[in-house]
Amino acid sequence: ELMTGYTMLRNGGVGNGGQPWLLRWSSRIRLTWLSFTLFIILVFFPLIAHYYLTTIDDADDAGKRIFGPRTGNELCEVKHVQDLCRIRESVSEELLQLEAKRQELNSEIAKLNLKIEACKKSIENAKQDLLQLKNVISQTEHSYKELMAQNQPKLSLPIRLLPDKDDATFPLPKSIRSCRLHNCFDYSRCPLTSGFPVYVYNSDDYPFGSSLDPLIKQAFEATVRTNVYVTENANIACVYIILVGEMQEPVMPKPTELEQQLHSLPYWRTDGHNHLIINLSRKSETQNFLYNISTGRAMLAQSTFYDVQYRPGFDIVVSPLVHAMSEPNFLEIPPQVPVKRKYLFSFQGEKIESLRSSLQEVRSFEEEIEGNAPADYDDRIITTLKAVQDSKLDFVLVEFTCKNQPKASLPTEWALCGERDDRLELLKLSTFALIITPGDTRLVISAGCAMRLFEALEVGAIPVVLGEQVQLPYNDVIRWNEAALIIPKPRITEVHFLLRSISDNDLLAMRRQGRFLWETYFSTSDNVFSTVLAIIRTRIQIPAAPIREETAVEIPHRSGKAAGTDPNMADNGDLDLGPVETEPPYASPKYLRNFTLTAMDIYRNWNSAPGPFHLFPYTPFDPVLPSEAKFLGSGTGFRPIGGGAGGSGKEFQAALGGNVPREQFTVVMLTYEREEVLMNSLERLNGLPYLNKVVVVWNSPKLPSEDLLWPDIGVPIMVVRTEKNSLNNRFLPWDEIETEAILSIDDDAHLRHDEIMFGFRVWREARDRIVGFPGRYHAWDIPHQSWLYNSNYSCELSMVLTGAAFFHKYYAYLYSYVMPQAIRDMVDEYINCEDIAMNFLVSHLTRKPPIKVTSRWTFRCPGCPQALSHDDSHFHERHKCINFFVKVYGYMPLLYTQFRVDSVLFKTRLPHDKTKCFKFI
């Protein structure tokens, strides 16, 4: 029955008829109910349980808690839980003990690591010491091999042999006119090592002395007193000098009387050999009164010569002595630029007497004129020059008639017109100055021509000498073609074309060379007398006397304070500065070519040396060739070309290398009453490689504190006392400076060791230039038409400040003894500009700009007292200095450069606004 009912239900109704809709409705009701029930169970039951669990523990009675946490004691009340608690406590204690042991072991490991690092450092130091010892041993072995290869014993100076007083065995020449050094000069009186002693007669002891021009005589005597070659011992003299002119006309002695007085000189010895008779001219009308006087074997030095009187290589043509007792005023000398002036050329003069009439009067006392009279080109010269003036192609000024009475002159000579000041004003407006030689070709030089040449060189007018037969002053040692044009008179029609074809660069070079010759050999009585002596000394091949050095008066001081090492100074990055010298300070080798240079390089030194040849017999910047290594001692380190040691980067860092791999430098530090700053600066030099010594120039009249303890930096510190407070003392050639390289540094400069060493290496590649760190430049102020000093940052520079710069000691001599005194006076007046003056000097001599090396932007000392350069007036004074120096030199010698030397090891990070500058590595 149940099966029947179920079957009926599936069939959709009750009984046979059924009801399908009812079945479907009941099925839906059951599914909905089942879903609702499950939702209630799954959602509301967890919520109710959560609420119960969170509120049941809030009862006030703690004992009613069911699910809350229980205390340890409560848990431990349970027996099996107590065992677990004991285990936990034991494990905690063991963990604490293990943590303490771990920390102790870590501390021991750290100590062992420090010991390992110290051992590694000791090993590196030992390796470095071993390397230094190997370098010293290698250098010693190399020096020994050089000495053995030379196999030349050290020579001592020969014994001085004095000649007999009478010189009876001296042979006589066939004719006085044929006198030359080989037959009219006694070399036995002048040994190579004699030092060239010169004895000067006192003109007042002889009758003709009263006839001498007072200014000439006074200037000559003042020059003699200061000359290093003059001796009072006539028995050892090499040359004897007597001044006979310029004489005053009213009281001039007769030729026979003067001849007798000369022959009666105590050391004349019958023929006057080794005597020099000087006849200086201060005026253009000076007469040749020695023409008809027998001077025997004596040499003549004067401004007027006839061809039968002049003996080439024996007599000397001297310049006029215009500035007898006064120094030339450089402010009155016109500048050398602009190159071209108002007039292309100028000439003023008047011919007093024609050639033909003069030929009948001038006769040699030994021979008469032979042959026909020479052609007189003066008429052609006058016609040609007037035609150029009338063509108005160029502004020229030629006048062949003086407005006033012309100066007295020799026959056929063009007399000077007007006063000296008027002639100089015309020459200041002239690019070229014509000098027409006398029509009488027998007159090889006259005082008038020499005066025209002197005035042209003085104001920068390039001399154009018409007449190739002329013998210009000091012609056997000066290349006049570098400063003047010497043109034969037959080429007068081509002169205008020739002058127009010369470029501005050549004009400036000739004008600058003429200014150099005038300043060096013409300008003062000292220059004239010293030049005459230098010519004779050079002819007989005696080296010049050593130039004097400044004697350093040392200030006693106590040293012994251990100098610390500044970490900034010691951190050199990847740069190996090289081994610190373990041997004593090594001085630069002495110059030993004095005897050979006088015979080999005469013209080069007379025409291009920075100073007079008698003062500076050599230029010290020539490279040392292998063949010359033996002259420089054992320290040259010359290596053969080909295989062998050298070339690796490690050796480059560990040694200087180059042609002179053994060299040191001297630090010269100027200071003034800043003891603390000075001591800090000296301590920073501790451990600096290749440092020979430190010369501290104490520029204050107040001595250092007696209790001041100076640092011990491993090299001598010489504290030099100065006579006065002067910035020029920075560049004095102190005798304590024994190296060619000088590092001039301020007492507040802050340079790292690697920076100094890099600058030293760069200087060794350019020994004739200033190499330093802070760069400056000059600029032209258009509104004010003057020069300005500029310290702003720029990619271009023209100066390197000597507050941190290397330079050659040679320039210290030139700065102190050769540079015009007016510049040093201005430095003392402003207490400023000494660095600008040194840059002017070096650029003027070398025609090269300085070299800037890059530092790590640490040049100034942080925290040091404020320096003078921070004052506003400092820059105004420097503006004035630059313009004054330009007037003294006559032009702007400073040269711009964008060249800069950087070290790739510095890894310098340039600011974005400075990366536009070029770098040369």
Side-chain angles (χ1 to χ4, degrees):
E1 291 180 0
L2 290 172
M3 291 297 295
T4 303
Y6 178 74
T7 304
M8 291 176 62
L9 183 60
R10 293 184 59 182
N11 292 335
V14 179
N16 294 331
Q19 296 181 357
W21 62 269
L22 183 61
L23 181 61
R24 291 192 296 271
W25 180 81
S26 62
S27 298
R28 292 176 180 173
I29 289 298
R30 284 183 293 180
L31 291 174
T32 302
W33 176 251
L34 180 63
S35 300
F36 180 76
T37 303
L38 291 174
F39 177 78
I40 293 298
I41 293 171
L42 296 175
V43 175
F44 287 95
F45 180 77
L47 292 176
I48 294 172
H50 180 266
Y51 175 79
Y52 176 76
L53 292 174
T54 55
T55 58
I56 192 169
D57 289 335
D58 294 337
D60 296 333
D61 189 359
K64 295 181 180 180
R65 296 176 187 171
I66 299 176
F67 300 98
R70 297 180 181 271
T71 63
N73 295 330
E74 292 175 349
L75 292 176
C76 292
E77 292 177 357
V78 185
K79 183 177 181 179
H80 68 278
V81 176
Q82 291 179 354
D83 295 336
L84 294 176
C85 291
R86 287 193 297 267
I87 294 173
R88 187 187 67 175
E89 292 176 355
S90 176
V91 171
S92 298
E93 290 179 0
E94 291 180 357
L95 289 176
L96 291 175
Q97 293 176 0
L98 291 175
E99 178 63 22
K101 290 182 179 180
R102 188 184 68 83
Q103 293 179 358
E104 183 179 355
L105 291 175
N106 287 337
S107 177
E108 292 180 358
I109 291 173
K111 292 179 180 180
L112 292 175
N113 288 333
L114 292 177
K115 291 182 179 180
I116 292 173
E117 293 296 330
C119 291
K120 289 182 178 179
K121 188 174 181 180
S122 299
I123 292 174
E124 292 296 328
N125 293 335
K127 289 182 179 180
Q128 186 68 21
D129 294 339
L130 179 60
L131 181 60
Q132 293 179 9
L133 292 176
K134 288 182 178 180
N135 290 336
V136 173
I137 294 173
S138 176
Q139 181 67 32
T140 305
E141 291 178 350
H142 181 72
S143 301
Y144 176 75
K145 290 179 181 179
E146 281 188 346
L147 292 175
M148 295 300 295
Q150 294 176 11
N151 194 21
Q152 294 181 353
K154 184 178 180 180
L155 297 179
S156 300
L157 295 177
I159 299 176
R160 177 83 182 273
L161 298 178
L162 297 178
D164 295 334
K165 184 176 180 180
D166 296 332
D167 301 331
T169 59
F170 193 62
L172 294 173
K174 295 182 179 180
S175 172
I176 298 301
R177 285 189 54 197
S178 62
C179 262
R180 300 296 184 270
L181 289 176
H182 69 276
N183 58 5
C184 287
F185 190 86
D186 184 6
Y187 280 90
S188 66
R189 301 198 65 88
C190 306
L192 290 176
T193 58
S194 63
F196 191 61
V198 174
Y199 179 79
V200 180
Y201 291 99
N202 186 2
S203 300
D204 293 334
D205 295 339
Y206 305 96
F208 63 83
S210 59
S211 303
L212 295 177
D213 184 300
L215 290 179
I216 293 285
K217 183 169 63 173
Q218 186 178 358
F220 182 78
E221 292 175 350
T223 300
V224 166
R225 285 194 297 267
T226 59
N227 194 275
V228 296
Y229 297 105
V230 174
T231 179
E232 296 181 358
N233 187 355
N235 293 325
I236 65 171
C238 170
V239 175
Y240 301 84
I241 296 179
I242 181 66
L243 178 68
V244 298
E246 178 176 64
M247 290 192 177
Q248 297 174 316
E249 291 289 343
V251 291
M252 182 182 297
K254 296 180 180 179
T256 55
E257 296 177 354
L258 180 59
E259 182 175 320
Q260 292 176 358
Q261 295 175 22
L262 291 176
H263 291 181
S264 63
L265 293 175
Y267 304 100
W268 186 261
R269 298 187 180 93
T270 69
D271 57 5
H273 62 272
N274 289 47
H275 274 65
L276 174 65
I277 302 176
I278 298 181
N279 178 23
L280 299 176
S281 59
R282 193 169 59 89
K283 298 174 291 186
S284 62
E285 58 268 23
T286 301
Q287 299 296 318
N288 184 13
F289 61 86
L290 293 176
Y291 181 75
N292 289 317
I293 293 178
S294 176
T295 55
R297 291 176 173 175
M299 295 174 286
L300 300 182
Q302 58 183 13
S303 299
T304 303
F305 279 104
Y306 283 98
D307 57 355
V308 296
Q309 181 188 19
Y310 179 67
R311 296 163 291 186
F314 192 74
D315 295 326
I316 302 174
V317 179
V318 298
S319 62
L321 188 59
V322 178
H323 302 286
M325 291 300 298
S326 62
E327 294 286 337
N329 189 353
F330 290 100
L331 299 180
E332 296 180 357
I333 300 176
Q336 299 184 28
V337 289
V339 177
K340 293 182 178 179
R341 299 175 177 176
K342 178 180 179 180
Y343 299 111
L344 177 64
F345 62 83
S346 64
F347 177 82
Q348 284 182 324
E350 183 174 343
K351 197 171 184 180
I352 304 300
E353 190 174 0
S354 65
L355 172 64
R356 294 189 177 278
S357 61
S358 66
L359 288 178
Q360 308 301 323
E361 299 178 5
V362 180
R363 290 290 186 271
S364 169
F365 71 97
E366 294 182 341
E367 65 178 16
E368 298 292 335
I369 295 298
E370 297 180 358
N372 297 326
D376 188 359
Y377 290 98
D378 290 355
D379 293 338
R380 186 185 303 179
I381 291 174
I382 295 174
T383 303
T384 303
L385 295 181
K386 284 185 176 180
V388 173
Q389 185 178 26
D390 295 339
S391 66
K392 301 188 182 302
L393 295 176
D394 288 294
F395 285 105
V396 299
L397 191 150
V398 290
E399 296 178 353
F400 301 104
T401 302
C402 296
K403 298 178 181 179
N404 299 322
Q405 181 67 27
K407 303 294 183 181
S409 62
L410 296 175
T412 75
E413 182 185 17
W414 287 91
L416 293 172
C417 296
E419 300 298 328
R420 167 178 159 80
D421 293 340
D422 298 332
R423 297 194 300 269
L424 292 180
E425 290 301 321
L426 175 61
L427 292 175
K428 291 177 181 179
L429 302 176
S430 306
T431 305
F432 297 94
L434 296 185
I435 301 176
I436 305 176
T437 59
D440 187 355
T441 56
R442 300 172 306 162
L443 189 60
V444 295
I445 185 64
S446 65
C449 288
M451 185 65 69
R452 290 181 183 272
L453 178 67
F454 181 95
E455 294 177 352
L457 295 176
E458 182 178 6
V459 297
I462 301 174
V464 179
V465 182
L466 297 179
E468 77 284 2
Q469 81 284 354
V470 68
Q471 299 289 335
L472 296 181
Y474 321 124
N475 61 303
D476 54 345
V477 292
I478 291 180
R479 290 195 184 104
W480 278 107
N481 59 337
E482 297 179 357
L485 295 174
I486 303 177
I487 304 174
K489 286 184 177 181
R491 294 192 179 276
I492 182 59
T493 57
E494 302 171 325
V495 168
H496 185 212
F497 169 80
L498 178 61
L499 300 184
R500 287 287 302 271
S501 64
I502 301 177
S503 65
D504 289 353
N505 290 336
D506 293 337
L507 289 177
L508 183 58
M510 296 180 70
R511 182 173 294 164
R512 187 164 54 241
Q513 180 68 8
R515 174 72 174 269
F516 162 73
L517 296 177
W518 180 80
E519 289 182 355
T520 307
Y521 308 117
F522 290 71
S523 57
T524 65
S525 58
D526 286 340
N527 290 344
V528 172
F529 182 69
S530 299
T531 302
V532 171
L533 294 185
I535 290 177
I536 299 175
R537 181 185 50 75
T538 305
R539 287 175 177 175
I540 61 179
Q541 301 178 357
I542 296 181
I547 189 171
R548 69 181 180 92
E549 293 185 310
E550 291 294 325
T551 303
V553 180
E554 184 178 5
I555 299 177
H557 60 281
R558 295 187 301 119
S559 61
K561 175 184 176 183
T565 302
D566 190 337
N568 294 327
M569 300 294 102
D571 181 16
N572 299 312
D574 299 330
L575 181 60
D576 186 358
L577 301 184
V580 178
E581 296 290 342
T582 57
E583 60 182 354
Y586 174 74
S588 296
K590 299 297 183 181
Y591 189 78
L592 301 178
R593 290 190 61 210
N594 292 322
F595 292 99
T596 56
L597 192 71
T598 53
M600 294 172 56
D601 301 323
I602 294 178
Y603 276 103
R604 185 186 68 172
N605 289 280
W606 275 90
N607 295 273
S608 61
F613 184 75
H614 58 279
L615 291 180
F616 302 97
Y618 73 100
T619 303
F621 312 118
D622 299 330
V624 179
L625 302 178
S627 60
E628 298 173 343
K630 59 180 178 294
F631 292 109
L632 296 180
S634 60
T636 56
F638 167 65
R639 301 188 184 99
I641 299 176
S648 67
K650 180 179 179 60
E651 288 195 9
F652 171 78
Q653 294 185 25
L656 289 175
N659 292 322
V660 188
R662 189 184 184 194
E663 187 172 16
Q664 296 178 346
F665 62 91
T666 302
V667 168
V668 176
M669 187 177 296
L670 188 72
T671 187
Y672 186 89
E673 296 184 2
R674 297 200 294 184
E675 295 181 353
E676 182 179 357
V677 175
L678 175 63
M679 295 302 107
N680 293 334
S681 297
L682 292 176
E683 288 187 5
R684 286 193 291 269
L685 299 177
N686 182 35
L688 180 61
Y690 308 110
L691 178 60
N692 182 273
K693 70 174 61 171
V694 178
V695 177
V696 177
V697 182
W698 192 264
N699 223 23
S700 170
K702 180 181 177 182
L703 296 179
S705 303
E706 295 182 359
D707 57 347
L708 182 63
L709 193 61
W710 296 69
D712 184 3
I713 61 176
V715 298
I717 297 179
M718 175 70 65
V719 185
V720 178
R721 184 175 185 175
T722 58
E723 296 181 356
K724 64 176 182 178
N725 177 21
S726 172
L727 293 180
N728 293 316
N729 296 332
R730 180 194 297 271
F731 302 124
L732 284 174
W734 302 104
D735 56 359
E736 290 294 333
I737 302 177
E738 300 177 315
T739 61
E740 295 182 2
I742 295 178
L743 172 58
S744 175
I745 189 169
D746 288 339
D747 58 0
D748 60 351
H750 196 272
L751 288 174
R752 302 162 58 99
H753 287 187
D754 52 347
E755 295 170 345
I756 295 176
M757 286 308 305
F758 180 61
F760 182 47
R761 289 179 179 273
V762 174
W763 176 85
R764 283 166 46 84
E765 302 297 328
R767 306 174 72 90
D768 61 336
R769 300 163 80 172
I770 300 177
V771 176
F773 299 90
R776 300 291 186 265
Y777 67 96
H778 65 289
W780 180 250
D781 184 7
I782 297 178
H784 298 89
Q785 293 293 296
S786 62
W787 294 103
L788 295 177
Y789 170 84
N790 202 314
S791 62
N792 296 331
Y793 178 82
S794 173
C795 297
E796 201 166 51
L797 62 102
S798 59
M799 292 175 283
V800 166
L801 302 186
T802 55
F806 286 92
F807 62 90
H808 200 287
K809 187 182 179 182
Y810 187 67
Y811 293 128
Y813 295 107
L814 298 178
Y815 184 98
S816 302
Y817 303 140
V818 176
M819 188 179 69
Q821 181 63 37
I823 296 179
R824 293 190 293 272
D825 291 340
M826 190 168 196
V827 171
D828 288 336
E829 178 182 355
Y830 286 152
I831 316 179
N832 198 344
C833 307
E834 85 287 355
D835 46 1
I836 301 178
M838 177 60 80
N839 278 270
F840 265 70
L841 174 67
V842 177
S843 296
H844 170 65
L845 300 176
T846 63
R847 303 306 303 137
K848 297 177 183 178
I851 296 179
K852 172 180 170 55
V853 293
T854 303
S855 62
R856 297 195 184 191
W857 318 104
T858 59
F859 174 64
R860 281 299 171 189
C861 175
C864 292
Q866 187 170 352
L868 293 175
S869 59
H870 297 270
D871 190 358
D872 292 338
S873 63
H874 173 79
F875 291 94
H876 296 290
E877 293 172 351
R878 294 173 85 81
H879 299 330
K880 296 178 181 179
C881 288
I882 286 185
N883 288 280
F884 179 78
F885 295 166
V886 168
K887 290 182 179 180
V888 174
Y889 282 98
Y891 74 111
M892 169 54 75
L894 298 179
L895 299 173
Y896 292 108
T897 180
Q898 293 185 356
F899 181 83
R900 192 185 77 199
V901 184
D902 290 353
S903 172
V904 294
L905 300 177
F906 280 179
K907 300 181 178 65
T908 304
R909 297 172 183 172
L910 293 177
H912 69 280
D913 59 337
K914 298 179 181 178
T915 55
K916 60 185 179 180
C917 293
F918 292 101
K919 291 195 301 180
F920 298 86
I921 300 174

